[in-house]
Amino acid sequence: MSTYADRLSALREQLKRDRLDGFVVPLTDEHMSEYVGEYAQRLAWLTGFQGSAGSAVVLSEEAAIFTDGRYTLQVRQQVSADQWQYVPVPAVSVEGWLGEHAPDGGRIGYDPWLHTRAWVEAARKALAEKGAELVAVNTNPVDAVWPDRPAPSDAVLSVQSDEHAGKSSAAKRAEIADWLHERKADAVVLSALDSIAWAFNVRGDDVSHTPVALSYAIVNSDGTADLFVAPEKMTDAVSQHLGNAIRVHDRTAFAPALQKFQGKRVAADPERAVAAIFDSLDAGGAKILSLRDPVVLAKALKNPVEIAGHRAAQARDGAALSRFLRWMEIEAPKGGLNELSAADRLHAFREETGVLKDLSFDTISGTGPNGAIPHYKVTEESSLSIELGHLYLVDSGGQYADGTTDVTRVIPIGEPTQEMRDRFTRVLKGHIAIATAAFPEGTVGAQLDSFARRPLWEVGLDFAHGTGHGVGSYLSVHEGPQRIAQPFYPGGASLEPLKAGMFLSNEPGFYKAGEFGIRIENLVLVVPLDIAGAEQKMLGFETLTFVPIERDLVDATLLTFEERAWLNAYHAQTLAILGPLLEGEDKAWLETKCAEI
């Protein structure tokens, strides 16, 4: 099956054998992960789509792929319009589309290990109105026709030391036990991979760029736990670290274990636990408490050790990125570079720190029109030469034992146009508005999002992605529950109250299709503010990322006095933090880039 058309045809033949009239293919795994292992890349295998969020529906006569505004351009480049309809979400939902397009009386299949129970209920309701049926499959039909599907990773677990975690696994499990007692519950199911990694202070290598291991866990009200993981992933060091209070089982024992809670009160997260988990608990007679995984918020509130580690990681990473930006400034105008070679060189600079564990995501290395694709992923086929007259956007990050980084910078190759400077400066103004925001306790990200957009809105422009996402501590580069985004953002409403200790990105942008893209991204920490005369507790952001912001792209006439002061102070701090980490010409370059405007 060398072509995507062949693969689609093979899936349709399999659906006939399975007596199905359609099938839903989401981009996730059995842990509802955003980033998934190669074995779970069913959507990419079937369609060619390389983005990190999307779904597809295959019917006997038509097929549709569902993506949000981040991928409007990308999906059209990677997925054939001859076989697939492009459907925008959230304007149209998968279940809503099924309700209109599924055949009357049809049988539409789904994999219960890849969907939430809420989605199943919504899809079942939408199909019922057409007399159609939603059918759970025991074997995923995509897997049945994917001849060289990779096996799940067999990489071993590693220990995340208390030196970096700042709190022992025993202490974390004791807090989860307290949470269970407060709710008169006997146990909680943890199925999100980063929740398990955090709760047990372990890390893995099963998902590219995200240090997690394929596993499940059940934490009991006495603080003990059951961890379900493939035996070959265990080492003596990990076994010793876990101790006697954590019983280790084969991952295949998880579903049967869920059926042994008859009469017990068991908590499971309706957003993060798949439908099959709820089905197994139901089958065993458990009393299910649909509650958010207690690790989610605890993990988001970073402790002092994690914050200190993150500062160290940011400084180290910022120095590496600064060296790369200087190198680009020298080499790019000569010609001969392309998006792939630039990304490789940046990776090499990070490797030279000597402590890089991995990248935190595939580097977004885009010049000219590719820079206008917000979540662009460079490939051998798509890689453009970096040429004079274009902007070059690089969104990248590193995974270090003490922190996860994520930073975006844009540089001109040659002389930028006035339009480029205007748009860059408006994005910078939005970035500064977030960085300097003061807000009362209880404020949610959706209330702040428009701060970043106003300078663009004033001239009739906008950007089609969120302004900020949470970030883990040597974990996922995209971590909830906090975010800064519009209320109708595809990832869900940004209605989580921001709390001191949360990491977020600050990344407004602007994209001119076919020409250039701009994004300025730093990571920030939510901190308490001491405001004289304040009548309530106030919060704000402390910027954590320090890398020069390209002065040649700034139109200083568009900046207010306060914005100019912020930029100059930011650059002074950048020089103070990175200066001691750089030498010779790199340091001299940094001094020039951090000069006052």
Side-chain angles (χ1 to χ4, degrees):
M1 281 175 277
S2 58
T3 71
Y4 293 111
D6 292 338
R7 295 174 184 184
L8 180 58
S9 177
L11 178 58
R12 284 184 166 135
E13 289 300 317
Q14 182 64 39
L15 295 182
K16 289 179 184 177
R17 289 191 287 273
D18 293 341
R19 297 190 303 110
L20 295 173
D21 300 294
F23 188 71
V24 182
V25 185
L27 201 177
T28 191
D29 60 12
E30 56 271 38
H31 307 275
M32 297 306 297
S33 305
E34 177 184 12
Y35 298 113
V36 302
E38 291 298 318
Y39 79 97
Q41 292 280 1
R42 298 176 179 91
L43 186 67
W45 179 84
L46 180 65
T47 69
F49 178 62
Q50 298 294 321
S52 62
S55 295
V57 175
V58 176
L59 303 178
S60 58
E61 300 297 330
E62 58 182 331
I65 185 165
F66 300 76
T67 58
D68 62 58
R70 294 171 295 175
Y71 303 107
T72 300
L73 298 177
Q74 183 174 342
V75 71
R76 284 162 173 78
Q77 291 179 355
Q78 295 175 338
V79 180
S80 172
D82 293 337
Q83 283 90 40
W84 297 89
Q85 301 172 31
Y86 308 122
V87 183
V89 296
V92 180
S93 67
V94 172
E95 58 271 26
W97 189 90
L98 276 171
E100 292 185 5
H101 292 258
D104 292 343
R107 288 165 47 86
I108 306 301
Y110 77 101
D111 187 334
W113 286 97
L114 299 177
H115 297 273
T116 64
R117 175 169 272 196
W119 182 88
V120 171
E121 291 172 353
R124 186 164 282 143
K125 180 179 179 182
L127 288 168
E129 294 178 5
K130 294 203 70 175
E133 180 185 3
L134 189 67
V135 180
V137 300
N138 293 320
T139 301
N140 192 302
V142 176
D143 298 350
V145 297
W146 186 354
D148 53 353
R149 178 176 171 239
S153 164
D154 60 0
V156 299
L157 286 164
S158 62
V159 176
Q160 176 73 343
S161 69
D162 292 358
E163 173 191 357
H164 290 128
K167 184 182 290 187
S168 70
S169 174
K172 292 176 179 180
R173 286 183 281 108
E175 291 175 0
I176 295 172
D178 290 342
W179 180 88
L180 289 168
H181 284 298
E182 289 170 6
R183 288 153 184 81
K184 297 181 173 57
D186 298 293
V188 58
V189 176
L190 302 183
S191 57
L193 298 181
D194 57 345
S195 289
I196 297 165
W198 183 89
F200 294 91
N201 282 351
V202 294
R203 297 295 187 266
D205 196 25
D206 289 349
V207 178
S208 294
H209 312 317
T210 306
V212 293
L214 295 172
S215 54
Y216 297 99
I218 299 171
V219 180
N220 304 295
S221 57
D222 61 359
T224 65
D226 294 274
L227 178 65
F228 300 84
V229 63
E232 60 268 21
K233 292 182 171 299
M234 295 294 295
T235 66
D236 291 343
V238 171
S239 296
Q240 185 175 355
H241 162 73
L242 293 176
N244 296 330
I246 300 173
R247 296 170 291 272
V248 180
H249 315 267
D250 194 307
R251 189 162 174 258
T252 58
F254 174 63
L258 294 175
Q259 298 185 30
K260 297 178 181 178
F261 284 96
Q262 183 172 5
K264 301 288 189 181
R265 291 166 58 85
V266 180
D269 189 328
E271 183 180 339
R272 294 166 180 83
V274 295
I277 290 175
F278 285 87
D279 294 344
S280 294
L281 288 169
D282 272 337
K287 167 65 176 175
I288 302 174
L289 307 180
S290 292
L291 299 169
R292 185 166 73 182
D293 170 352
V295 170
V296 170
L297 184 58
K299 174 165 51 67
L301 302 176
K302 304 301 188 286
N303 61 50
V305 170
E306 290 172 316
I307 293 170
H310 189 83
R311 291 189 205 283
Q314 286 285 3
R316 181 189 313 121
D317 196 71
L321 179 54
S322 294
R323 292 180 64 209
F324 167 76
L325 293 174
R326 172 179 172 266
W327 179 84
M328 281 291 294
E329 193 172 279
I330 295 168
E331 297 299 325
K334 298 177 183 177
L337 289 181
N338 60 36
E339 294 167 343
L340 269 180
S341 62
D344 289 344
R345 189 68 187 93
L346 175 54
H347 192 174
F349 277 118
R350 284 194 165 101
E351 288 276 14
E352 288 171 19
T353 65
V355 291
L356 181 72
K357 297 284 191 177
D358 194 358
L359 300 182
S360 56
F361 54 98
D362 288 318
T363 296
I364 299 172
S365 174
T367 187
N370 285 344
I373 302 172
H375 278 222
Y376 171 65
K377 180 178 179 180
V378 60
T379 64
E380 291 280 359
E381 295 74 28
S382 71
S383 181
L384 294 178
S385 295
I386 296 173
E387 299 175 351
L388 289 171
H390 290 286
L391 296 182
Y392 172 71
L393 181 152
V394 58
D395 183 348
S396 66
Q399 291 282 14
Y400 306 92
D402 50 1
T404 299
T405 69
D406 183 4
V407 52
T408 308
R409 289 295 183 267
V410 178
I411 59 173
I413 310 303
E415 185 69 17
T417 66
Q418 182 52 39
E419 180 188 30
M420 292 172 178
R421 285 194 171 102
D422 177 274
R423 303 308 189 243
F424 184 90
T425 308
R426 291 182 185 280
V427 172
L428 175 60
K429 288 166 72 73
H431 180 97
I432 295 171
I434 294 293
T436 58
F439 46 93
E441 227 176 19
T443 296
V444 302
Q447 292 173 279
L448 301 181
D449 183 77
S450 60
F451 291 20
R453 300 178 191 271
R454 179 175 173 176
L456 290 166
W457 284 352
E458 287 173 346
V459 289
L461 305 173
D462 204 352
F463 56 94
H465 58 73
T467 297
H469 57 81
V471 178
S473 181
Y474 186 38
L475 273 175
S476 177
V477 74
H478 288 170
E479 179 180 272
Q482 73 276 19
R483 64 167 68 90
I484 302 172
Q486 293 172 304
F488 47 83
Y489 178 64
S494 310
L495 302 180
E496 183 72 26
L498 301 180
K499 297 180 183 294
M502 289 178 168
F503 292 156
L504 292 115
S505 65
N506 172 11
E507 52 176 312
F510 172 74
Y511 311 90
K512 186 174 184 180
E515 295 195 29
F516 61 83
I518 293 165
R519 186 160 64 250
I520 303 172
E521 178 183 17
N522 289 337
L523 299 189
V524 297
L525 170 68
V526 182
V527 294
L529 294 182
D530 185 10
I531 299 177
E535 297 181 353
Q536 55 191 316
K537 291 182 179 179
M538 299 293 291
L539 300 172
F541 295 118
E542 175 192 335
T543 295
L544 296 171
T545 304
F546 292 96
V547 177
I549 294 170
E550 182 52 63
R551 296 163 74 256
D552 288 348
L553 283 171
V554 177
D555 182 348
T557 65
L558 292 177
L559 297 179
T560 65
F561 174 82
E562 292 79 10
E563 289 166 342
R564 189 184 301 218
W566 182 92
L567 183 59
N568 287 333
Y570 175 79
H571 277 145
Q573 196 170 0
T574 298
L575 182 58
I577 291 171
L578 300 189
L581 304 179
L582 297 174
E583 299 176 345
E585 293 181 352
D586 288 331
K587 187 171 184 179
W589 174 89
L590 181 71
E591 290 169 349
T592 300
K593 289 296 177 181
C594 292
E596 286 195 358
I597 289 181

